[in-house]
Amino acid sequence: MKKGFLLLVALLGLVSCSDKQQSLRIVCPTNAPSLCFYNYVNNENFITSSNPQNGIIPMFMKDTYDVIVAPTQGGLNQIVNQHANYQIAAVITFGNFFIVSTGRDEDHTLNAGDKVLIFQENDLPGKIFNYVYGDLGLSTYAVASLALTKTVIENNGTLTDETTIEFDYIFTSEPVVTSTNSEVFKNVQEDFSKKTNGKMLTQASIFVKKTSNKNLIDSFLANLENSILIALENPDVLEIALSTLGSPEAQQGKYGVTGKIAKTVTEKNNGFSLGYKSAYSIKNDIQQFVDLFPGLKLGTLNEEVFYK
């Protein structure tokens, strides 16, 4: 424990924020995006929500927060179509979707007729799955939540609904893959990159208020990038930082996962796909990503939506 405490002090010393940065009001989804803010673990100005659609997206029009972390397409929809007073500054998660095999498929190849369980068919997960694999002729069955994919994996790939369905593959996400000790059959991010000629899956982004002090925001962003790099190089810091909240329930309540799971998933090939890219530097990747949502009518993103 003493070794862990000393590591925490050393690492958090490298990513310590000024009082002004600590005073920034931030709202962020739980799970992967929130882990980028492990050094805000005891900051009362850092708020998380497990329901981005109802707990975060409406905040764009209330002008309460200096920084909003949100699904990329959802935040840009607020800026482009609702004229929210924010700009996209950076992308911090790049997709954590995976396909696991139940072992039933005799040819071990994802192809026509294979039964695949997917989740959130009409939201980002379903959009990504259908974009990448929609032309394979798969037989898909959708459930409402990621948690239900975990239940099916734990039930040997079988779903008992009105009838019993035995799946060949399950489309899921971290931390389900790790918590069920599943082996990855397909890394969806890699297949997305192949389909888009090397583009990144720009899942969650940092949006900053236009009227915020630019020097303060620049310092905040630089600190955030540094803290993410430290966590990727030293995943122990995630477990140690979150453990200061106390019980696993308290950790999961604020971050959506425990520090132990956060560390394990990050150690395992950065399973949460944490990272940092200036939004303006990858604007073509972001454009390709939001084009998956034609119903939002975002069109070609103009320069004004990007923080520079």
Side-chain angles (χ1 to χ4, degrees):
M1 183 65 185
K2 183 177 180 182
K3 179 181 178 182
F5 177 76
L6 292 175
L7 176 63
L8 175 65
V9 170
L11 294 178
L12 292 188
L14 294 175
V15 293
S16 61
C17 304
S18 68
D19 290 342
K20 287 185 178 180
Q21 286 183 48
Q22 290 283 348
S23 70
L24 289 171
R25 298 201 65 194
I26 304 168
V27 63
C28 178
T30 54
N31 292 305
S34 65
L35 295 176
C36 297
F37 295 86
Y38 62 88
N39 57 324
Y40 285 75
V41 63
N42 293 309
N43 186 332
E44 294 181 355
N45 291 317
F46 174 65
I47 307 298
T48 60
S49 171
S50 61
N51 188 338
Q53 192 59 40
N54 295 323
I56 291 181
I57 295 299
M59 297 301 107
F60 278 93
M61 302 311 296
K62 293 187 177 181
D63 216 34
T64 302
Y65 290 94
D66 303 292
V67 176
I68 298 177
V69 187
T72 301
Q73 78 282 2
L76 286 171
N77 182 45
Q78 294 298 303
I79 293 171
V80 173
N81 293 319
Q82 303 301 324
H83 310 293
N85 187 36
Y86 289 84
Q87 293 174 307
I88 184 170
V91 180
I92 58 171
T93 67
F94 296 85
N96 56 348
F97 302 114
F98 301 92
I99 295 176
V100 300
S101 172
T102 65
R104 290 191 177 91
D105 187 18
E106 293 182 356
D107 66 4
H108 306 292
T109 303
L110 197 62
N111 51 27
D114 287 341
K115 294 180 180 178
V116 185
L117 180 72
I118 66 174
F119 69 104
Q120 295 179 12
E121 183 176 24
N122 297 317
D123 208 340
L124 175 62
K127 297 278 190 185
I128 294 298
F129 181 89
N130 287 323
Y131 174 73
V132 178
Y133 307 108
D135 59 353
L136 296 182
L138 302 169
S139 176
T140 60
Y141 184 95
V143 292
S145 69
L146 174 63
L148 286 173
T149 70
K150 182 175 187 287
T151 299
V152 173
I153 291 173
E154 293 174 335
N155 197 33
N156 297 315
T158 301
L159 174 68
T160 302
D161 198 353
E162 295 179 356
T163 59
T164 297
I165 307 173
E166 295 182 338
F167 293 99
D168 300 302
Y169 300 97
I170 297 171
F171 171 68
T172 187
S173 180
E174 286 288 13
V176 170
V177 177
T178 296
S179 64
T180 58
N181 294 313
S182 299
E183 289 189 13
V184 171
F185 176 75
K186 277 191 172 291
N187 183 320
V188 178
Q189 288 65 233
E190 292 178 357
D191 288 347
F192 179 89
S193 179
K194 291 175 185 176
K195 181 121 184 176
T196 59
N197 295 316
K199 296 292 192 300
M200 290 179 280
L201 200 166
T202 54
Q203 186 174 3
S205 294
I206 302 288
F207 297 86
V208 297
K209 191 190 297 185
K210 286 183 180 179
T211 53
S212 296
N213 180 283
K214 188 175 190 317
N215 289 335
L216 179 57
I217 293 297
D218 286 347
S219 297
F220 159 76
L221 293 172
N223 185 281
L224 178 64
E225 181 177 11
N226 189 42
S227 66
I228 293 170
L229 177 61
I230 287 174
L232 294 178
E233 293 178 346
N234 304 275
D236 282 344
V237 74
L238 296 171
E239 181 175 13
I240 297 167
L242 269 61
S243 71
T244 64
L245 290 171
S247 69
E249 292 77 14
Q251 297 171 39
Q252 193 151 358
K254 183 158 187 175
Y255 283 88
V257 295
T258 64
K260 182 176 181 180
I261 286 290
K263 172 192 170 184
T264 301
V265 173
T266 304
E267 280 180 332
K268 192 174 72 176
N269 299 319
N270 186 19
F272 282 122
S273 292
L274 308 183
Y276 184 98
K277 290 287 185 181
S278 159
Y280 189 70
S281 72
I282 56 168
K283 61 181 181 178
N284 291 334
D285 298 70
I286 294 172
Q287 183 70 59
Q288 175 97 43
F289 177 73
V290 300
D291 285 346
L292 295 176
F293 304 88
L296 295 180
K297 298 180 180 179
L298 298 178
T300 301
L301 300 174
N302 63 46
E303 297 280 310
E304 294 179 1
V305 308
F306 294 96
Y307 179 84
K308 303 173 200 152

